[in-house]
Amino acid sequence: LLNLAIGGNGVGYATPPDDAYPLTYSIDYVSIEALPPPPPSPPLPPWSKCGTPACTPEAWAAAAANSECMTCSCGDRIDWLQTSPDGPRMDEAAACAQVAAIEFAGACGGCDPAAAPSPTPSPSDPGGGGVSARGVKCAVAAEYRRGGDNAQAAIDAGLLSAADLNGLNDWTDSGLMLKQWDDSSVQCPPPAGSVNGRDRFSLFNEPPRDAGAAAAATWKAYQARCASELAGYEIVGPAVHNGLDWMRDFYSAFFAACPECQEPASPLYVTYIAFHAYATASDTAGVVGSMVWTHDAACTLQAEPWALGRPVLLTEFGAQLNVQDNVDQWLTAMDTIFDPPASVPSVCIEEAYYFAEHGFGGLAYENEFQPSTTTTADSASRVVGKFRSLCFGPDSGSSPSPSPSPSPSPS
C-alpha cells in the first residue's frame, strides 16, 4: 500500500514558501508481495434428517400445527419426541415415523423414513422397486392407505416402498394425479417429495380417444395455475388404453396441441408415455398373447415421431376382469410382462404396474396381495410369491416394520 500525502498548510499551519512547488519525488524500490490466502472455512455438515433426502430443510420447517401447538414445525415435533424430558425420548427413526407417517403425514410426509430410497435390490435384498430379469422395474397399481390397501400389503411384504408408488395410478386423495381430462379446477399438488418421497405427477386416467387436444388444454390451464406447486415433479403422460390406433390418435392430438410438452426446458414437458393393458381372453394362451401384444405396443408407441424415444410406463396391467377363479391368469400376465418369452425381442416397457385392486369399471378376482372378498388367502400368497420370484428372486424374504404408538405433542 503506497500512501503519499502532498500539500496542505505545512506543519503547525505554517505556510510553505512560494517556490516550494512543484515537488518531485523519486521512488527507489517497490516490492509487491501477495498475502497468503485465509484458511478455508470448515465445511458445514451435510443436512441429514430422518434418513431420507426428501426431509429437506423446507420439509423440516413445514408447519405442523394443532390445538396444542399452533407454531410447531415438523422438526419441532420430531425434536420434542427425541429430546424433551416430558416426551418419550424416541430415537430419530421412530420420532420421524411418528410425526411424518402417522400424526402429520400430509404436512411432514417428506420426513417419513419409509420414503428413504433403497439400494438397488438383489435376490437376497428385496428392497423397494425390484427389477425383473428382462430389465422391467416392478411396481404396483393400487390404492395407498385407503380401501383394501394392497399397496401397503406389498410394502409390508417387502416388494416395494411407498416412494416406489410415485403417484402413478394414485387413486387416493394425495393430489398426485390430474384425473379428469376436462377439469383443470382441482387442487394443486403438494410439494414434490412431500408425499412419501414421490416426485411424479400423473395426467389423466384413461381419457377418451378424441380428447387429446382438449386434454392438452386442461393440462396447460392447470400448470399455469399450479406452476410453483408442480416445480420438481416429473410429468407422466395420460394413461391411454383400448387399442394401438386409439392410443396413437390420442397422443398425436395431445402433442400437436401442446408443442411445449415436447420441450425438455418447458414446465409443461411430459417425461413419460403411459398406457394400460389387460388380457382380452381368460385362457392361458390368450393372456400370453395379450401381454406379448402389450410389449409390441410399447415399442410401437416409443417409436412414434411424437414420442421422441421417451420412456414408456405400463401403469396398469393384468388379466381379464369379471372372470372368477382365475389367479393362474393373473400370474401368467405377471410372468409375461416381467419376464417375456423369446418371441419378444425388445423390451420397451421401463416400468410395469401390476393391478392389485378389486377393480374400477370391472371386478378383478384372485389378483390381490392380501385376502379379501374377491381374493382367497391361497391366491394372495401365490400373487406375492410370483411377484417376489420375478422381481427379486425366489429366495427373497421380508418382514414388516412395526409402527410406533402415538405420543403427546410438544407444548
Side-chain angles (χ1 to χ4, degrees):
L1 178 63
L2 180 64
N3 184 17
L4 294 177
I6 303 174
N9 291 325
V11 179
Y13 298 100
T15 301
D18 293 337
D19 60 353
Y21 300 103
L23 299 178
T24 301
Y25 290 86
S26 297
I27 299 173
D28 298 317
Y29 175 78
V30 174
S31 175
I32 300 175
E33 297 182 12
L35 294 175
S41 301
L44 295 174
W47 175 269
S48 178
K49 298 289 186 181
C50 297
T52 170
C55 190
T56 61
E58 292 76 18
W60 186 259
N66 63 10
S67 59
E68 296 179 354
C69 181
M70 297 300 296
T71 60
C72 283
S73 67
C74 299
D76 292 335
R77 292 185 178 278
I78 292 169
D79 282 341
W80 185 89
L81 290 173
Q82 292 181 261
T83 63
S84 173
D86 298 323
R89 297 296 183 96
M90 293 179 173
D91 62 27
E92 183 185 52
C96 293
Q98 179 66 34
V99 172
I102 298 176
E103 296 179 357
F104 294 89
C108 307
C111 293
D112 181 358
S118 304
T120 302
S122 65
S124 60
D125 177 19
V131 180
S132 71
R134 294 292 296 272
V136 180
K137 183 177 179 181
C138 308
V140 177
E143 294 184 302
Y144 182 52
R145 291 184 174 172
R146 188 176 178 184
D149 208 350
N150 279 280
Q152 187 62 52
I155 293 168
D156 291 344
L159 303 179
L160 74 164
S161 71
D164 291 313
L165 296 173
N166 265 316
L168 296 173
N169 291 67
D170 189 358
W171 296 96
T172 70
D173 296 324
S174 63
L176 299 182
M177 174 184 279
L178 182 59
K179 297 178 185 178
Q180 299 300 324
W181 62 271
D182 57 353
D183 183 7
S184 64
S185 65
V186 297
Q187 67 180 8
C188 296
S194 65
V195 180
N196 302 303
R198 287 180 265 178
D199 59 2
R200 290 182 184 168
F201 184 83
S202 301
L203 302 182
F204 314 124
N205 182 64
E206 299 185 352
R209 177 176 185 169
D210 60 354
T218 298
W219 165 227
K220 288 181 179 181
Y222 183 80
Q223 194 281 327
R225 182 168 60 85
C226 301
S228 59
E229 292 88 347
L230 286 163
Y233 279 105
E234 291 182 324
I235 305 303
V236 179
V240 292
H241 70 142
N242 275 355
L244 190 55
D245 288 341
W246 189 107
M247 296 189 289
R248 285 191 291 201
D249 286 351
F250 178 93
Y251 263 119
S252 179
F254 179 87
F255 284 120
C258 184
E260 306 95 325
C261 297
Q262 301 281 59
E263 299 294 334
S266 170
L268 290 163
Y269 180 67
V270 173
T271 306
Y272 302 96
I273 301 298
F275 76 112
H276 296 168
Y278 288 86
T280 55
S282 58
D283 62 290
T284 298
V287 174
V288 171
S290 292
M291 297 299 102
V292 167
W293 174 91
T294 299
H295 279 288
D296 292 341
C299 292
T300 300
L301 291 174
Q302 192 174 55
E304 288 289 320
W306 45 258
L308 304 178
R310 288 177 175 87
V312 176
L313 310 182
L314 180 61
T315 52
E316 282 184 25
F317 79 90
Q320 192 177 41
L321 301 178
N322 301 316
V323 178
Q324 299 189 37
D325 303 321
N326 68 335
V327 63
D328 289 330
Q329 308 318 327
W330 286 91
L331 302 181
T332 297
M334 207 188 300
D335 259 329
T336 313
I337 290 298
F338 289 143
D339 190 17
S343 60
V344 177
S346 300
V347 175
C348 300
I349 297 171
E350 181 162 303
E351 299 174 11
Y353 288 70
Y354 171 80
F355 186 77
E357 279 298 341
H358 295 288
F360 303 88
L363 194 61
Y365 290 92
E366 312 299 346
N367 65 311
E368 298 179 59
F369 285 107
Q370 59 187 357
S372 73
T373 57
T374 56
T375 298
T376 65
D378 178 68
S379 292
S381 176
R382 293 179 65 190
V383 169
V384 169
K386 175 64 73 173
F387 193 101
R388 178 175 289 127
S389 67
L390 287 169
C391 301
F392 302 104
D395 299 325
S396 294
S398 64
S399 59
S401 300
S403 297
S405 57
S407 60
S409 297
S411 55

